Amino acid sequence: MTELVNSLLYLDGVTVSFDGFRALNNLSMVVARGEMRAIIGPNGAGKTTMMDVITGKTRPDKGDVLFDGSHDLTKLDEAAIAELGIGRKFQRPTVFDSHTVLDNILLALKGPRGVFASLFARLTGDERDRIDTVLATIRLTDRRHELAGRLSHGQKQWLEIGMLLAQDPALLLVDEPAAGMTDAETAETAALLRRIAETHSVVVVEHDMTFVRDLGVRVTVLHEGSVLAEGSLDQVSADDRVIEVYLGR
Amino acid sequence: MARAMPLGLGRSGIAFLVIVAAAGVLVPFLNLATPVDSPWHVPTTTVVLFGKYLCFALLALSIDLVWGYCGILSLGHGAFFALGGYAMGMHLMREIGSRGVYGNPVLPDFMVFLNWKELPWYWYGFDQFWFAAIMALLVPGALAFVFGAFAFRSRVTGVYLSIITQAMTFALMLAFFRNDMGLGGNNGLTDFKDVLGFDLQQNATRCGLFALSAAALAAGFLVCRAIVSSKLGKVLVAVRDAESRTRFIGYRVEHFKLFVFTVSAMMAGLAGALYVPQVGIINPGEFAPANSIEAVIWVAVGGRGTLVGAALGARGRQRRQELVHRGASRALAVRARRAVHFRHAVPAEGAARPGRYPPRQAPGAAGGDAGPARNGR
Ligand SMILES: Nc1ncnc2c1ncn2[C@@H]1O[C@H](COP(=O)(O)OP(=O)(O)OP(=O)(O)O)[C@@H](O)[C@H]1O
Ligand SMILES: [Mg+2]
């Protein structure tokens, strides 16, 4: 129970099946307030499915998913969960291609989300400043008026992280942020996430071990829909079962 | 930001408004103030024809708003247009009063013919113009709202949504064909006499309706521009391009769709309400699924997501219909018309060779000279 009270995100016995195939199998995990957690695991381990469950895209067959100790995420839809303060970056970068970089950030910017609020919204000076800060952080200030569809893969990844920053959620779920990046970009991304983690709780899924090592945080290993091991990267790397299913290959 | 046009109208938007406004003033003026034999005279048939185009352009605009900017491909917008038309038609029916064939001061002719004794409740209020005008917006809006609330909440999208919008207009067509609907059945509503005391057969009234249609098109354009250039407009485009992404940053996508769908249906209703007094009839045929599909084609041809293009696309209606009706002999229709244009054009040039097809190059030039007025018959 103390775990539940101190946790920001609490998953207990979560099971998701697709046509009888268990993508998540009795998965339990707790992320504390202010923590950054890395999730690793082989392809198909259920990492993305776990994020789908947390953000309301997929309903679990069984199990509890609680946010901030009291909100039952299995009962809420995507928009309500986003409004509670959970933001997400997708595995395949998804930005709004026919909007400019600036408008992508503007749309994500924390603020009222209603129909009429949007219809009559005027950009305030404060919002402009926040957008500028985000653009500077993700190094896209020069390209602010360009269409997001024209960015490179790595820049789209960063833009999506920028959208997360603009949204300013309590918990960020980041799915493979370094995929398709050069080594230098990967290192920069790790540094950026570490900076973000100073003020936010973050869950990062990543295959790149150098990247995970750079983050230097607690690691959870998923395998076949459940937690196989948990601890520092060195600890889990030394775990025989982990070596067998994942690192050993 | 970079471009500081008012309301983000853009150059083409301003040009469009100027042209619509100029047409709204000039066409009626040239019809009423010039003698019939003057080269400046615009014949009444042209006024009526172009008045219809203005209504179609407004319908196209309403479709572009939902399809071009929010990705909702409605194949049932003709239904909203027709409902607006029926609302106005009901008023025009009541305006006939005792001048009908049966001379009944309250009941329209078709009701007398069907031996109805009293006016159905849903005809109440339509003796008032203001009531009919409100209903022309409210009824399509309410239908769109209810329909959209169900469809968007259950996340019906893409082809499935298009299909159920088609089903909606088809179902309405069947319903309106029935005499018990109390809306004239098969024949619809017609034999209108006047509106607000103005005789519908008078040139001045037709010119007035033309000017009103131009004003409605301009207003519709401004409303659309205001919507698409607001932050809400950006959300709509976001929904069009990546619907689930938009949800994950906290927007209730179904509310945005519902808003824009309802506004769009009301615009289509207004277009229908202006159309009916100009053509003098509204019948269930207006609900025909093909009408809705054709309107979508204007938008596709004119340029989806451009507003201006969509409105201009509606100009092609008459011609395309002609071709569609001729079906397989489509190519023949084109050649025949070219030949006609040629014959008209040739005497002016003095080199008459009637009955012969023009040489390869000529048809384009001759067709161009014949001018847009003749284009649509
Ligand atoms: N909507 C779905 N329908 C059917 N099967 C699905 C669905 N979503 C995921 N799966 C299956 O569930 C399993 C877990 O998928 P998931 O995407 O969560 O894996 P992952 O750990 O994110 O893998 P990767 O590292 O490749 O991204 C996979 O076998 C996948 O095929
Ligand atoms: Mg994945």
Side-chain angles (χ1 to χ4, degrees):
Chain A
M1 232 18 233
T2 52
E3 244 188 355
L4 177 56
V5 173
N6 290 325
S7 71
L8 185 64
L9 183 66
Y10 175 91
L11 281 82
D12 187 30
V14 176
T15 299
V16 172
S17 343
F18 297 110
D19 303 321
F21 169 76
R22 291 199 166 184
L24 293 184
N25 188 6
N26 202 21
L27 173 74
S28 302
M29 191 179 76
V30 178
V31 177
R33 233 173 282 273
E35 183 186 355
M36 167 142 75
R37 175 74 60 89
I39 314 265
I40 61 172
N43 293 113
K47 306 179 294 291
T48 300
T49 306
M50 182 192 78
M51 292 196 169
D52 287 345
V53 167
I54 298 168
T55 52
K57 187 178 176 200
T58 303
R59 297 255 172 264
D61 306 328
K62 268 208 321 260
D64 298 319
V65 185
L66 297 178
F67 179 68
D68 213 3
S70 57
H71 302 284
D72 182 352
L73 298 184
T74 61
K75 300 269 186 302
L76 301 173
D77 69 359
E78 299 96 322
I81 291 173
E83 219 150 312
L84 274 181
I86 299 183
R88 173 171 188 185
K89 186 205 133 344
F90 289 79
Q91 182 164 350
R92 197 172 55 85
T94 34
V95 295
F96 302 120
D97 283 346
S98 45
H99 276 313
T100 60
V101 168
L102 185 85
D103 282 345
N104 269 274
I105 302 291
L106 172 68
L107 282 171
L109 203 64
K110 190 176 198 163
R113 293 289 200 243
V115 171
F116 294 100
S118 305
L119 184 58
F120 299 112
R122 288 278 165 274
L123 194 62
T124 65
D126 171 53
E127 285 172 330
R128 216 179 289 264
D129 292 345
R130 275 157 62 204
I131 292 175
D132 287 343
T133 312
V134 170
L135 285 171
T137 311
I138 58 172
R139 305 199 181 146
L140 288 174
T141 306
D142 304 342
R143 311 196 61 174
R144 57 198 299 163
H145 294 303
E146 245 175 90
L147 292 185
R150 303 195 36 195
L151 298 179
S152 73
H153 182 83
Q155 286 170 326
K156 280 187 188 174
Q157 298 268 46
W158 276 54
L159 175 56
E160 210 179 348
I161 294 174
M163 289 166 74
L164 268 182
L165 285 174
Q167 206 180 331
D168 193 25
L171 173 66
L172 286 78
L173 305 175
V174 189
D175 203 349
E176 304 204 15
M181 285 188 171
T182 62
D183 287 350
E185 285 171 334
T186 303
E188 276 178 27
T189 307
L192 173 61
L193 279 179
R194 274 202 311 270
R195 243 184 304 147
I196 292 172
E198 286 164 14
T199 45
H200 300 83
S201 307
V202 184
V203 174
V204 195
V205 166
E206 189 48 71
H207 281 291
D208 188 323
M209 283 306 146
T210 329
F211 179 87
V212 175
R213 191 168 296 282
D214 278 355
L215 291 179
V217 297
R218 194 176 166 83
V219 175
T220 299
V221 185
L222 284 196
H223 176 55
E224 291 177 352
S226 352
V227 175
L228 188 66
E230 211 167 87
S232 71
L233 185 60
D234 291 329
Q235 277 171 343
V236 299
S237 305
D239 189 306
D240 287 341
R241 289 175 308 160
V242 174
I243 293 170
E244 194 185 319
V245 306
Y246 188 61
L247 300 169
R249 287 191 299 182
Chain B
M1 274 126 268
R3 57 214 143 80
M5 297 273 189
L7 283 172
L9 274 176
R11 204 160 287 174
S12 63
I14 289 172
F16 177 76
L17 279 179
V18 167
I19 290 170
V20 171
V25 174
L26 274 183
V27 169
F29 176 80
L30 293 179
N31 175 258
L32 295 173
T34 56
V36 178
D37 51 6
S38 153
W40 292 99
H41 183 72
V42 176
T44 304
T45 50
T46 308
V47 175
V48 173
L49 181 69
F50 276 69
K52 276 168 34 178
Y53 286 150
L54 290 172
C55 298
F56 293 147
L58 185 55
L59 172 61
L61 208 57
S62 75
I63 292 174
D64 198 24
L65 181 62
V66 286
W67 185 35
Y69 291 88
C70 195
I72 303 170
L73 175 52
S74 165
L75 295 180
H77 255 55
F80 304 128
F81 182 86
L83 285 172
Y86 264 97
M88 187 48 64
M90 286 164 82
H91 172 65
L92 299 177
M93 259 347 230
R94 301 278 333 249
E95 280 285 283
I96 298 172
S98 53
R99 286 170 293 174
V101 177
Y102 297 105
N104 189 308
V106 177
L107 295 187
D109 278 348
F110 74 88
M111 289 188 193
V112 182
F113 182 76
L114 291 172
N115 261 327
W116 290 25
K117 294 295 170 238
E118 59 188 76
L119 204 63
W121 61 267
Y122 47 84
W123 276 78
Y124 293 166
F126 279 95
D127 50 330
Q128 302 293 327
F129 178 83
W130 62 266
F131 183 83
I134 291 174
M135 285 299 147
L137 296 177
L138 215 59
V139 172
L143 174 65
F145 186 86
V146 173
F147 180 92
F150 283 109
F152 300 141
R153 185 144 312 158
S154 33
R155 302 199 180 172
V156 181
T157 54
V159 181
Y160 300 100
L161 187 84
S162 303
I163 290 172
I164 60 170
T165 53
Q166 272 269 283
M168 173 191 77
T169 194
F170 187 66
L172 282 169
M173 180 177 75
L174 296 184
F176 275 70
F177 262 125
R178 295 172 51 234
N179 278 331
D180 342 348
M181 270 296 270
L183 290 165
N186 195 13
N187 299 319
L189 310 174
T190 187
D191 289 333
F192 308 138
K193 301 279 189 262
D194 50 26
V195 59
L196 291 173
F198 298 104
D199 184 349
L200 284 169
Q201 303 307 319
Q202 289 285 313
N203 281 2
T205 312
R206 299 191 146 161
C207 286
L209 287 166
F210 179 93
L212 219 56
S213 305
L217 178 59
F221 180 75
L222 284 172
V223 167
C224 287
R225 275 314 318 184
I227 288 176
V228 303
S229 52
S230 72
K231 187 178 169 197
L232 182 140
K234 295 186 205 294
V235 177
L236 296 181
V237 171
V239 170
R240 181 191 74 188
D241 289 351
E243 178 166 338
S244 70
R245 188 76 184 87
T246 317
R247 284 184 206 282
F248 286 118
I249 51 176
Y251 293 98
R252 278 254 140 63
V253 167
E254 55 274 21
H255 293 183
F256 285 81
K257 286 184 171 178
L258 191 56
F259 170 80
V260 76
F261 194 60
T262 306
V263 169
S264 166
M266 290 166 80
M267 277 173 59
L270 175 62
L274 286 163
Y275 177 76
V276 165
Q278 299 187 69
V279 296
I281 183 167
I282 173 81
N283 63 32
E286 284 300 331
F287 287 103
N291 279 17
S292 297
I293 293 175
E294 202 194 318
V296 166
I297 294 174
W298 307 333
V299 178
V301 168
R304 177 187 170 201
T306 59
L307 296 182
V308 172
L312 296 180
R315 267 286 279 105
R317 173 173 184 154
Q318 209 80 9
R319 211 169 76 198
R320 207 160 298 115
Q321 262 182 347
E322 211 171 276
L323 294 181
V324 168
H325 288 161
R326 293 186 193 198
S329 58
R330 174 197 162 122
L332 202 68
V334 175
R335 297 185 85 187
R337 200 178 27 251
R338 282 177 180 171
V340 169
H341 285 171
F342 182 67
R343 247 177 261 144
H344 281 280
V346 162
E349 288 162 16
R353 260 154 131 200
R356 295 270 303 270
Y357 279 109
R360 208 74 187 92
Q361 243 178 328
D369 285 341
R374 205 173 291 130
N375 235 355
R377 175 180 320 163

